[in-house]
């Protein structure tokens, strides 16, 4: 049973230990009175005075000491919890401490500690989980083993899979072995995705721009040389050549705009967008903006849309507008005069239902399939044209940069060949999907599906978009 002045945390105080020695003096005085060596009355008074003074001093000198008392649970050893665990848990970079016993036991590497960023990245459920269940890259595992059993620091570059791949730099460093414990190593990761994407974007932009701009620049140079020569006094030739030069300059402008747009999208493709968008209202805005272009070509619209607020998705409104505009613009280009472009939106579908085929006779392909949860619900946007359709062999290459189906023309305002590539990268950033179905001679249907917004909050309705001149 604990002493009366034992603190509730199970530690014995310094005052409790000092109390009993202070009773020695009163005990001696009372003993002298018992054996007749002191008068009983004065001896009792002296004993009480001495005992009271000793008790008061013991209370004044009371100081808690951390000593376990029998019967109470001991405090957890400090070595079981890494120092500064709360601080490490809030670091943005994944950080792990790996423990291992034997070099031959390949399944014995376990997480002794993993901060919040590491638990989220590798889906670590509990302390002590096996390293191989989370990290499967053989180069990273080899670097960890070298740190554990060879005492060698290592740096490894690797990428995580999935629709939104990430580039990482892994640092494996040995830690000093604790007495009676297994070998320890520190595994720290640094996200290199932005740097890698920036390098790739610059290289791709230069390669694509130099390749695609060569033809219009050569045309402009040739026409300028002709106008400076024998055609300078021919008004008819001059007007015709200037018209061609204007068209080539506009094509270069559109090409540069699309390349810059694609580069920006790819750079931030791994970062999920913030915001909410009413997909139906965005489609209405795009249809209104493209109405003059459709009327000029005598093409009509057949929208099948849910009511306002019925298809709210998570996303960046400007980019979703760009997706819808690219799909409807393509449908207008390829639909013959007097045809109809059908725009449909269906909310609340699973990923399997959103990407399911609609026409058994059509050639179909999923151009982008997102990593998804079975409980996730999607809103699907489908745009159907009445153009020449696409042969099955062309479907896998539709989202390649500058890919054009041979023998098909989209009218006077030719595209850059980047529209579907932009759509694919935007949908990948939004954790969505992209499908295509086509029947040759009857038209094609492009479908995109985006995760629906969770309950709570309403999307902000910005002003409608303005059609380009």
């Amino acid at each position: 049973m604990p002493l009366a002045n034992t603190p509730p945390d199970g530690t014995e105080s310094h005052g409790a230990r000092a109390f009993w020695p202070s009773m020695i003096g009163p005990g001696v005085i009372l003993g002298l009175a018992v054996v007749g060596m002191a008068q009983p009355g004065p001896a009792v008074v002296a004993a009480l005075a001495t005992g009271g003074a000793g008790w008061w001093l013991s209370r004044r000198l009371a100081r808690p000491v951390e000593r376990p008392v029998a019967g109470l649970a001991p405090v957890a050893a400090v070595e079981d919890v890494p120092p500064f665990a709360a601080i490490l848990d809030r670091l943005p970079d994944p950080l792990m401490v790996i423990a291992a016993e034997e070099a031959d036991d390949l399944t014995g590497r376990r997480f002794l500690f993993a901060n919040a960023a590491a638990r989220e990245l590798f889906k670590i459920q509990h302390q002590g989980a096996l390293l191989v269940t989370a990290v499967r890259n053989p180069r990273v595992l080899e670097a960890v083993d070298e740190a554990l059993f060879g005492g060698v620091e290592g740096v490894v570059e690797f990428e995580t899979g999935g629709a939104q791949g990430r580039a990482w730099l892994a640092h494996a460093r040995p830690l000093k072995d604790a007495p009676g414990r297994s070998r320890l190593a520190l595994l720290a990761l640094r996200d290199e995705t932005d740097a890698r994407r920036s390098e790739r974007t610059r290289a791709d932009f230069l390669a694509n721009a130099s390749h695609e701009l060569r033809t219009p620049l050569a045309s402009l140079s040739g026409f300028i040389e002709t106008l400076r020569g024998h055609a300078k006094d021919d008004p008819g030739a001059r007007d015709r050549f200037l018209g061609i030069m204007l068209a080539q300059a506009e094509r270069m402008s559109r090409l540069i705009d699309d390349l810059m747009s694609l580069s920006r999208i790819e750079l931030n493709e791994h970062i999920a967008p913030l915001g909410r968008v009413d997909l139906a209202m965005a489609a209405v805005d795009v249809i209104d903006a493209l109405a003059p272009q459709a009327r000029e070509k005598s093409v009509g619209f057949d929208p099948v849309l849910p009511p306002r607020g019925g298809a709210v998705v998570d996303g960046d409104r400007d980019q979703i507008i760009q997706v819808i505009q690219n799909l409807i613009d393509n449908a207008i280009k390829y639909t013959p005069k007097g045809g109809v472009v059908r725009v449909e939106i269906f909310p609340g579908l699973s990923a399997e239902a959103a990407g399911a085929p609609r026409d058994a006779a059509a050639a179909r392909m999923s151009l982008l399939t997102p990593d998804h949860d079975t409980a996730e619900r999607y809103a699907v946007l489908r745009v159907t044209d009445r153009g020449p359709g696409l042969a099955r062999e062309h479907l896998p290459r539709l989202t390649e940069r500058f890919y054009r189906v041979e023998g098909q023309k989209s009218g006077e305002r030719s595209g850059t060949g980047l529209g579907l590539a932009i759509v694919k990268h935007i949908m990948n950033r939004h954790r969505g999907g992209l499908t295509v179905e086509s029947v040759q001679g009857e038209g094609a249907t492009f479908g995109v599906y985006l995760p629906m917004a969770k309950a709570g909050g309403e999307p902000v309705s910005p002003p409608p978009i303005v059609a380009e001149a």
Side-chain angles (χ1 to χ4, degrees):
M1 179 176 179
L3 299 173
N5 61 343
T6 299
D9 60 356
T11 60
E12 189 178 353
S13 70
H14 176 76
R17 292 184 288 112
F19 175 77
W20 295 109
S22 66
M23 295 295 103
I24 295 176
V28 172
I29 295 174
L30 292 176
L32 292 175
V34 171
V35 297
M37 298 180 66
Q39 294 182 3
V44 170
V45 174
L48 290 176
T50 305
W55 177 83
W56 181 80
L57 287 173
S58 68
R59 297 287 294 176
R60 294 278 294 179
L61 296 174
R63 294 291 186 272
V65 294
E66 297 179 354
R67 190 176 71 186
V69 177
L72 296 179
V75 179
V78 177
E79 65 177 7
D80 290 338
V81 180
F84 309 111
I87 299 175
L88 298 177
D89 202 48
R90 287 161 175 78
L91 290 177
D93 292 335
L95 191 70
M96 294 148 282
V97 177
I98 313 298
E101 298 290 344
E102 301 292 338
D104 296 335
D105 185 8
L106 299 180
T107 61
R109 284 71 162 151
R110 296 180 178 274
F111 291 105
L112 185 64
F113 170 79
N115 68 353
R119 294 195 299 271
E120 181 180 357
L121 175 65
F122 295 115
K123 305 297 185 289
I124 301 172
Q125 300 297 329
H126 57 84
Q127 181 177 311
L130 293 176
L131 174 64
V132 293
T133 62
V135 182
R136 297 180 177 86
N137 187 283
R139 297 179 61 202
V140 177
L141 296 176
E142 183 179 352
V144 171
D145 278 356
E146 291 179 354
L148 285 170
F149 301 102
V152 179
E153 295 186 8
V155 180
V156 175
E157 294 183 5
F158 74 103
E159 294 187 3
T160 53
Q164 290 80 29
R166 307 290 291 275
W168 297 93
L169 201 62
H171 296 261
R173 297 177 179 175
L175 296 177
K176 184 178 179 180
D177 297 341
R181 301 199 56 171
S182 56
R183 297 175 180 269
L184 303 179
L186 176 69
L187 181 61
L189 305 182
R190 189 172 67 196
D191 194 346
E192 295 285 308
T193 306
D194 290 340
R196 298 291 181 270
R197 286 185 185 273
S198 296
E199 295 172 2
R200 192 181 308 125
T201 297
R202 285 194 295 269
D204 290 346
F205 180 84
L206 291 174
N208 293 325
S210 61
H211 175 73
E212 290 297 319
L213 294 177
R214 184 179 294 113
T215 299
L217 283 174
S219 298
L220 285 174
S221 178
F223 286 124
I224 290 172
E225 187 174 334
T226 302
L227 288 174
R228 294 178 63 185
H230 61 273
K232 63 181 179 181
D233 296 326
D234 186 346
R238 183 173 61 247
D239 291 343
R240 182 165 59 89
F241 290 162
L242 287 174
I244 297 174
M245 293 169 64
L246 177 61
Q248 294 293 335
E250 289 176 346
R251 180 174 181 270
M252 283 194 295
S253 178
R254 292 196 304 271
L255 181 62
I256 292 174
D257 288 343
D258 284 352
L259 281 172
M260 293 297 295
S261 176
L262 183 58
S263 298
R264 286 192 297 268
I265 294 166
E266 286 183 317
L267 193 60
N268 297 318
E269 193 170 340
H270 62 288
I271 303 174
L274 302 175
R276 289 166 172 254
V277 182
D278 190 324
L279 195 60
M281 296 301 101
V284 169
D285 287 345
V286 173
I287 290 173
D288 291 342
L290 295 179
Q293 181 181 330
R295 283 195 300 269
E296 183 180 347
K297 197 176 177 184
S298 300
V299 172
F301 290 109
D302 179 20
V304 180
L305 308 177
R308 180 187 291 270
V312 179
V313 297
D314 292 321
D316 182 311
R317 189 177 192 275
D318 289 339
Q319 290 191 346
I320 290 177
I321 287 286
Q322 190 173 7
V323 166
I324 302 172
Q325 188 159 336
N326 283 359
L327 295 180
I328 295 180
D329 185 56
N330 279 346
I332 294 173
K333 291 176 184 177
Y334 289 103
T335 297
K337 185 176 181 179
V340 175
V341 173
R342 188 176 183 87
V343 182
E344 305 170 291
I345 294 179
F346 302 100
L349 301 182
S350 65
E352 289 73 17
R358 301 177 61 201
D359 186 352
R364 180 189 177 278
M365 175 164 285
S366 176
L367 301 175
L368 175 65
T369 302
D371 300 328
H372 62 276
D373 190 334
T374 55
E376 189 78 66
R377 287 296 174 265
Y378 295 83
V380 183
L381 168 76
R382 295 191 179 103
V383 179
T384 303
D385 63 58
R386 292 293 178 260
L390 300 161
R392 187 183 298 272
E393 61 267 21
H394 293 300
L395 301 187
R397 302 189 61 189
L398 289 177
T399 56
E400 292 181 13
R401 297 183 183 191
F402 309 112
Y403 181 76
R404 296 177 180 86
V405 178
E406 187 177 354
Q408 289 193 6
K409 294 183 178 180
S410 59
E412 296 178 358
R413 186 173 179 267
S414 60
T416 61
L418 294 172
L420 289 178
I422 291 173
V423 169
K424 179 180 179 179
H425 286 286
I426 290 177
M427 295 310 299
N428 193 31
R429 186 191 178 211
H430 283 73
R431 279 59 172 168
L434 171 62
T435 62
V436 59
E437 290 185 19
S438 180
V439 178
Q440 281 192 279
E442 298 183 14
T445 298
F446 286 88
V448 295
Y449 51 100
L450 300 107
M452 296 195 66
K454 305 301 183 291
E458 289 295 329
V460 178
S461 298
I465 61 174
V466 180
E468 295 181 1

